[in-house]
Amino acid sequence: MSEPITVVGQLARDLVLVLDGDLPPTGSSGRVRERREQLGGKGANQAVALAQLGARPLLVAVAGDDAAGDALLAQARTDGIDVSAVVRRAGVPTGLIVELLRERNRWRYLEHLPDEVQLSAADIAAADRAFAGAAAVLVQLQQPEAAALAAARRARDAGALVVLDGAPPPAIRAEILALADVVRADAQETRLLTGKPGDDPAAALALLERGPRVVALAFDEGNRFAWRGPGPDTETLTLPLGDTAVVDTTGGGDAFIAALTVALLRGDPVPEAARLAVAASGATVGHVSGRPDLRGLA
């Protein structure tokens, strides 16, 4: 794939602590069985997955001007990610996400992601290279609404495949869904968008009517896909979760959306793209931390 895929989202330092047993009571200490420090945040996770699937990811995100930012950007370059559009915010510490993971996928996040490490509309306006010639633009809707909407508009103007990850807030929902080609939402986000669970056929159909041509909605037992066919009909597919024992769901959705995008761009039929997306997610949730390992999957 010669054209880059732009990812608009979060970059952060991930600190994953695997605990033995429950959290310690107040005023006491507990044992950490395993510790990982790595490049993370939803934007970086998606960009890593894209690179492992053979794409050329370009990341639009914010890092501080600290040593942590230096280290994360160095790791991103090693991973094959173009970080030329990452903003270095002066006087700001790079974002931090701490995951406390217990057995059986029982996790808690502690996040230090202040406004200064979120993207602004001005950051999007300055990122000309990130949109010119992009094959697709992945927009994470956890970013401020002004930045997300600006990114979707620029992607549409550039003729890129516009992929939305999450539930847009009400103020921009109608416009940004109309700009989208692909929408991915987890179970909670699906309820926010439609008031229905992801396995309800009406949920996906309702979203298709608002603009996208492919919708992927998660629910507890799997994923439901709906897309516009070559004629007036809408087609649907429900895929169960894979057989992989879930260790940590962190990053599963990021791997899913990266794989779905790569497959659609190379012209795979939606059912094949859907199966690759589910396989990528399954390959990620079977190990600790959100960092994917998708080499050889595509």
Side-chain angles (χ1 to χ4, degrees):
M1 187 179 302
S2 58
E3 299 87 359
I5 298 176
T6 295
V7 181
V8 179
Q10 192 72 52
L11 176 149
R13 176 189 173 206
D14 267 6
L15 174 59
V16 183
L17 304 176
V18 182
L19 308 181
D20 276 334
D22 294 334
L23 294 172
T26 301
S28 65
S29 63
R31 180 174 179 270
V32 172
R33 175 161 49 86
E34 183 180 350
R35 164 181 155 185
R36 298 190 185 188
E37 297 185 55
Q38 61 194 27
L39 172 67
K42 287 186 68 64
N45 286 342
Q46 290 180 12
V48 169
L50 288 168
Q52 291 175 349
L53 292 166
R56 292 177 50 212
L58 187 155
L59 180 61
V60 182
V62 178
D65 62 350
D66 53 3
D70 293 341
L72 294 178
L73 293 182
Q75 179 60 60
R77 294 185 189 97
T78 299
D79 286 328
I81 301 168
D82 183 339
V83 294
S84 61
V86 172
V87 178
R88 302 299 300 270
R89 202 82 87 203
V92 174
T94 297
L96 172 66
I97 301 173
V98 179
E99 178 186 0
L100 306 177
L101 178 64
R102 298 159 62 194
E103 61 179 350
R104 297 184 300 277
N105 187 37
R106 299 166 67 188
W107 51 259
R108 296 179 182 178
Y109 295 148
L110 301 173
E111 301 179 342
H112 183 242
L113 301 172
D115 291 345
E116 292 83 2
V117 295
Q118 308 294 329
L119 287 162
S120 68
D123 296 327
I124 300 300
D128 290 337
R129 183 171 172 272
F131 296 94
V137 177
L138 279 56
V139 181
Q140 293 166 13
L141 297 172
Q142 297 80 7
Q143 290 294 303
E145 60 187 50
L149 183 56
R153 286 171 174 165
R154 294 207 67 178
R156 173 56 61 224
D157 290 345
L161 185 79
V162 183
V163 182
L164 302 185
D165 175 18
I172 65 168
R173 187 167 296 167
E175 181 178 356
I176 202 167
L177 287 175
L179 293 168
D181 296 297
V182 181
V183 173
R184 159 70 174 173
D186 65 22
Q188 181 178 2
E189 293 160 346
T190 298
R191 285 194 176 275
L192 287 173
L193 283 171
T194 69
K196 299 176 176 62
D199 58 346
D200 186 335
L205 297 178
L207 282 178
L208 283 179
E209 291 174 356
R210 299 165 85 170
R213 60 183 180 87
V214 179
V215 170
L217 305 180
F219 58 98
D220 289 344
E221 290 80 29
N223 292 271
R224 177 177 289 274
F225 299 82
W227 64 98
R228 301 178 188 277
D233 295 335
T234 297
E235 301 183 57
T236 62
L237 172 68
T238 299
L239 294 177
L241 300 177
D243 296 331
T244 302
V246 176
V247 175
D248 184 1
T249 56
T250 303
D254 299 327
F256 180 105
I257 203 166
L260 183 65
T261 300
V262 167
L264 291 175
L265 284 177
R266 70 188 182 196
D268 289 4
V270 175
E272 292 183 18
R275 290 184 176 89
L276 180 65
V278 171
S281 180
T284 302
V285 302
H287 62 260
V288 172
S289 88
R291 182 175 174 85
D293 186 0
L294 308 180
R295 289 162 291 192
L297 184 65

